[in-house]
Amino acid sequence: MSETMYKRILIPTDGSDVAENAVDHAMVLAKQFDAEVHALFVADTDAVHYALGTEQVDRIRQGRFPEMTELREDAEAATGYVRERAEAAGLEFVERHAGGQPHNVIADYARENDIDLVVMGSHGRAGVRRALLGSVTERTLRSTHVPVLVVDYRAEKE
């Protein structure tokens, strides 16, 4: 196995426990390969389209959430968790907030940034699972030719 197998690892995150568990796995690989870590938060514009006006949806697609405090806070917290872990490990870090259909944004980002590996949770905040995988994860697998490591999360029983 080449020491430079993974130069850039993308971690799409929504800040959920499932996503944070995927971050833990990604950091082990990133540290092993001294890879640059990319954290990507995607606001699903399909999910918010009807509640917001066209101008606000366009801003979200551009990754600008200035007047949408809750959305901006969610994005910053989600990618901030990845940043903290990457900095603690001494790894280079890139952060991006975007809007659109998550699977398409993830696939486009991976292609445009020469990502070698995508590491993501099996399902996100919605908690709804489609068969075995969440719909964003499932669609991402079909939308990109970059290898995707899907990390499952099993909550401990109380």
Side-chain angles (χ1 to χ4, degrees):
M1 186 182 286
S2 168
E3 287 300 314
T4 58
M5 178 175 239
Y6 301 122
K7 293 179 183 176
R8 284 171 291 285
I9 297 175
L10 172 60
I11 309 167
T13 181
D14 61 4
S16 65
D17 289 342
V18 178
E20 289 183 359
N21 192 43
V23 171
D24 295 341
H25 282 76
M27 287 302 152
V28 170
L29 289 169
K31 187 71 175 166
Q32 180 178 350
F33 292 99
D34 193 30
E36 183 177 78
V37 174
H38 292 244
L40 175 64
F41 176 92
V42 182
D44 186 345
T45 54
D46 285 349
V48 298
H49 185 73
Y50 295 107
L52 301 174
T54 306
E55 185 177 321
Q56 288 178 314
V57 170
D58 286 343
R59 285 186 182 149
I60 292 171
R61 284 191 179 116
Q62 296 168 11
R64 297 185 341 212
F65 319 135
E67 62 282 331
M68 298 165 204
T69 307
E70 186 176 340
L71 182 57
R72 186 181 66 238
E73 288 173 0
D74 287 349
E76 290 173 356
T79 57
Y81 178 81
V82 182
R83 180 185 337 99
E84 290 170 8
R85 299 293 310 279
E87 287 174 353
L91 298 168
E92 290 184 45
F93 176 76
V94 177
E95 179 176 25
R96 174 87 199 283
H97 301 154
Q101 294 180 315
H103 65 283
N104 286 331
V105 174
I106 294 165
D108 290 346
Y109 186 94
R111 185 182 65 255
E112 293 165 5
N113 293 278
D114 296 321
I115 297 297
D116 301 302
L117 178 68
V118 177
V119 180
M120 61 191 303
S122 57
H123 58 284
R125 276 199 187 277
V128 176
R129 293 172 67 124
R130 174 182 286 179
L132 298 175
L133 299 176
S135 60
V136 171
T137 303
E138 181 181 338
R139 289 177 182 157
T140 299
L141 287 167
R142 288 187 272 178
S143 299
T144 184
H145 296 291
V146 174
V148 178
L149 172 61
V150 179
V151 179
D152 196 10
Y153 174 79
R154 305 232 189 263
E156 291 182 20
K157 294 182 181 180
E158 296 179 16

